[in-house]
Amino acid sequence: MHLRKSRLLTPGPTPLLPSAVRAMAGADLHHRTRDFRAIYSGVIEDLHYFMGTANGIALFSSSGSGAMEAAISNLFSPGDKTIICSAGKFGERWVQIARAYGLQTVVLEKPYGQSVSVDQVDTALRENPDTQGVFVQATESSTGISHDVQAMARVVGGTDAILVVDAITGLGSSVLEIDVWGLDVVIGGSQKALMIPPGLAYCSVSEKALERAATAVNPYFYFDLRKHIDAGPNGDSPWTPASSLILGLADVLQFIREIGRDHLIQNAQMLARAARQAAQAIGLELFIRDAIPAGAVTAIRAPQGLDSSEIVQGYKDQFESIIANGQGSMKGQIFRFAHLGYFDFHDLFATIAELEIILHRLGVNLDFGAGVKAAQAVYLKGLTDEDGGAP
Ligand SMILES: *Cc1c(COP(=O)(O)O)cnc(C)c1O
């Protein structure tokens, strides 16, 4: 008999920041008070720091998809032509939302595990000079790839179209310079790098994008970008906000200010590198092909002849940990674990050591400790790099 602590190793929801959990318990307050307004406006200000942008920010009480829908309903009209980069389940969600609002979609599709290239976007823009918007995932959480958003912004920037980036797992796990690169709309969610439960979505909107709201004619009411952007800095939200989550977010953003946003990103990137090295040292194959790997999540193929559901179940049964299966047709083929937000090397070492045990018990022949050793090497190299080369 072993004690088993429950742990979330999924690319959303992610482990909660303990001080934020305590902060959320103080929610017996009213949102139209001076105290709450101070907290709310502070959250908006700190979101500017976390996202690294001076663009207006809208904060919604919804999961991330709410802000994805808001970007489409507020900024586009039926019949508008859009180019959608689709390399996974979340790219497919862009297509579904766009079609629900009557937009024309030129879909640049890549097989799962690959990414849409800048050249594809460039060519599609030349072939469709009337394009109004380009949609992409910074990080496609269903496959573990990243898109070259910086280069895409360069080709979109020379046109009338706006670039709309689902950075729901990208923010806080990969470098995104919103203002420098010119990313028009950038969307995040609370249950990813922000270390609190699901229920908040936020997005930054450039002036070029917001101008479109004045003439766009799709219907919306609750998810009004302009209303939220205008009210936030005064400590107001148009409707009753999810106040307990706001209290938690205020605490998390303070924590991120203390460690620094760049360090939060480096942390995820280094854990991601260690996860990839470990998987390969065990003899496993990464799911991505010719693509930039995500800092948020690593997707790994199940060994030949093994259903990845058994690995997912192994984590649950033996260690009370939740990892993610593949989604859609990837189910049973791959498994995914995250390393964004409140995630550290202790978590990763354990995740890898457990993976070796689970695979061994499923009959996979492996060299015990090979994965852990590879992860340890990345950790030690990180220390050396920080010390400027000292052993
Ligand atoms: C989690 C996630 C979403 C949003 O999903 P919700 O369930 O609405 O929060 C969208 N895109 C990506 C890339 C995600 O990881």
Side-chain angles (χ1 to χ4, degrees):
M1 157 67 196
H2 306 98
L3 277 183
R4 296 172 307 151
K5 296 188 189 178
S6 61
R7 290 188 172 86
L8 278 175
L9 308 175
T10 47
T14 62
L16 305 177
L17 184 70
S19 59
V21 174
R22 292 191 288 275
M24 287 188 290
D28 53 342
L29 43 68
H30 197 282
H31 54 285
R32 305 293 181 210
T33 56
R34 189 152 32 131
D35 287 349
F36 189 81
R37 282 196 176 95
I39 294 166
Y40 196 91
S41 59
V43 161
I44 299 294
E45 195 181 319
D46 289 344
L47 276 174
H48 282 283
Y49 166 76
F50 170 65
M51 298 181 79
T53 181
N55 287 340
I57 293 177
L59 178 58
F60 296 119
S61 299
S62 75
S63 76
S65 304
M68 293 171 77
E69 175 157 344
I72 288 178
S73 66
N74 282 241
L75 307 177
F76 295 91
S77 304
D80 278 356
K81 190 181 271 185
T82 58
I83 293 173
I84 300 187
C85 303
S86 177
K89 298 311 285 182
F90 293 105
E92 289 163 24
R93 186 168 304 177
W94 271 140
V95 177
Q96 289 169 333
I97 304 173
R99 289 187 180 155
Y101 280 90
L103 313 193
Q104 279 185 69
T105 53
V106 175
V107 182
L108 308 180
E109 205 172 332
K110 267 297 172 82
Y112 295 149
Q114 298 178 24
S115 57
V116 178
S117 72
V118 182
D119 285 346
Q120 279 178 283
V121 175
D122 195 25
T123 306
L125 278 169
R126 285 173 207 281
E127 286 168 2
N128 300 278
D130 52 340
T131 297
Q132 306 283 315
V134 177
F135 294 78
V136 68
Q137 268 64 38
T139 294
E140 175 52 78
S141 320
S142 68
T143 66
I145 63 104
S146 291
H147 280 110
D148 189 349
V149 171
Q150 180 178 14
M152 286 184 185
R154 234 177 271 133
V155 298
V156 177
T159 71
D160 288 339
I162 58 169
L163 180 61
V164 184
V165 183
D166 165 2
I168 294 177
T169 48
L171 278 160
S173 70
S174 50
V175 176
L176 288 168
E177 294 297 341
I178 297 176
D179 295 355
V180 181
W181 298 354
L183 311 180
D184 292 299
V185 180
V186 177
I187 298 166
S190 57
Q191 81 276 31
K192 311 282 171 128
L194 287 183
M195 317 173 199
I196 53 171
L200 293 176
Y202 55 98
C203 64
S204 68
V205 188
S206 70
E207 269 311 313
K208 177 181 174 187
L210 209 49
E211 273 168 18
R212 300 181 54 88
T215 50
V217 297
N218 263 312
Y220 58 86
F221 181 79
Y222 191 87
F223 291 100
D224 186 323
L225 281 175
R226 171 80 73 181
K227 262 203 169 86
H228 283 78
I229 287 171
D230 289 348
N234 302 322
D236 277 316
S237 59
W239 334 116
T240 307
S243 34
S244 63
L245 290 169
I246 301 288
L247 295 176
L249 184 52
D251 184 85
V252 166
L253 291 169
Q254 211 47 52
F255 173 76
I256 293 175
R257 271 195 191 271
E258 280 159 26
I259 58 171
R261 67 186 280 262
D262 297 344
H263 285 124
L264 182 70
I265 294 168
Q266 283 164 20
N267 180 67
Q269 290 286 337
M270 201 191 285
L271 289 167
R273 202 174 321 128
R276 295 193 298 273
Q277 302 274 336
Q280 289 172 308
I282 294 172
L284 298 171
E285 204 183 324
L286 299 176
F287 183 57
I288 61 170
R289 281 269 165 277
D290 308 321
I292 315 165
V297 57
T298 296
I300 302 167
R301 276 185 197 278
Q304 197 118 45
L306 203 67
D307 189 314
S308 65
S309 313
E310 294 191 73
I311 299 169
V312 175
Q313 197 61 42
Y315 271 102
K316 169 71 182 145
D317 293 346
Q318 289 164 55
F319 301 106
E320 201 58 36
S321 289
I322 312 294
I323 67 160
N325 205 324
Q327 293 168 268
S329 64
M330 294 170 277
K331 188 161 189 226
Q333 313 290 313
I334 64 171
F335 59 99
R336 298 171 293 143
F337 56 81
H339 22 68
L340 79 165
Y342 195 56
F343 206 97
D344 68 5
F345 263 97
H346 178 102
D347 298 324
L348 187 76
F349 291 146
T351 304
I352 300 300
E354 290 164 6
L355 178 59
E356 294 184 346
I357 290 171
I358 291 161
L359 290 172
H360 166 74
R361 296 200 59 201
L362 289 169
V364 177
N365 207 344
L366 55 81
D367 181 11
F368 258 107
V372 175
K373 195 172 166 186
Q376 287 170 326
V378 172
Y379 176 82
L380 288 170
K381 174 146 193 330
L383 288 188
T384 318
D385 292 349
E386 271 173 32
D387 294 349

